[in-house]
Amino acid sequence: GGAYGGMAVSNPETGLFSMLSYRDPQLSRTLNVFDQAAEWAVAGRFSDEEVKEAILGVFSDLDKPLSPAGRGFREFANTYQGLTLEMRQQLRRRALTVDRETLMRLAKTYLVEGRPQSAVAVLSNEERLRQAESELKDGKLELRRI
């Protein structure tokens, strides 16, 4: 829709899942697409093969090579957050067991039913924000000047 870029990112260590767009001229449309993405996941509109590929992607991120400094920082962060080696190994074992139904259930639990716990933030100029606010009649945006 004209944005310079967009992505969805998850961080298993912090438990955060984020969807974002960059320099997006259609704020309300993008926020609606993000909501539709959650419904897409709940409906399971993806194949078992895509789930396997996603699991490979998770492991390529977990096992990516790090510099000595990167490994040190990762271990410091894990220790600081209380993530033991056993907890991290459990995450790996559980990731290997993920299937389509599990993803659908988790999407419902965390992306749809857990939505009230989520946050939406948009940084833009005031004109675009006011336009998006008028297009989104569900109170999705509360404008604040910072």
Side-chain angles (χ1 to χ4, degrees), residues 30-142:
T30 297
L31 292 172
N32 287 327
V33 167
F34 288 167
D35 284 341
Q36 292 166 5
E39 298 295 338
W40 169 88
V42 170
R45 295 188 190 117
F46 46 87
S47 69
D48 291 330
E49 186 62 31
E50 289 171 313
V51 173
K52 289 177 187 174
E53 290 175 17
I55 291 170
L56 290 174
V58 167
F59 276 91
S60 72
D61 188 51
L62 290 173
D63 295 338
K64 69 183 169 198
L66 296 172
S67 67
R71 284 195 311 271
F73 180 78
R74 182 184 62 197
E75 289 307 314
F76 170 79
N78 287 334
T79 301
Y80 183 75
Q81 295 176 67
L83 296 172
T84 65
L85 179 59
E86 177 53 36
M87 292 166 82
R88 289 180 277 154
Q89 287 301 100
Q90 181 182 12
L91 170 71
R92 295 172 69 81
R93 286 190 299 271
R94 292 178 76 184
L96 286 171
T97 67
V98 170
D99 58 15
R100 190 168 168 277
E101 289 72 29
T102 302
L103 287 177
M104 292 166 58
R105 179 178 49 80
L106 292 174
K108 181 179 179 186
T109 300
Y110 294 105
L111 301 180
V112 175
E113 293 172 354
R115 177 118 172 99
Q117 297 174 357
S118 67
V120 173
V122 179
L123 301 176
S124 187
N125 67 40
E126 189 169 350
E127 178 185 333
R128 287 193 190 268
L129 290 171
R130 294 226 178 270
Q131 178 185 351
E133 181 186 40
S134 70
E135 293 169 358
L136 298 166
K137 304 206 184 329
D138 61 0
K140 196 178 289 188
L141 289 179
E142 173 188 330

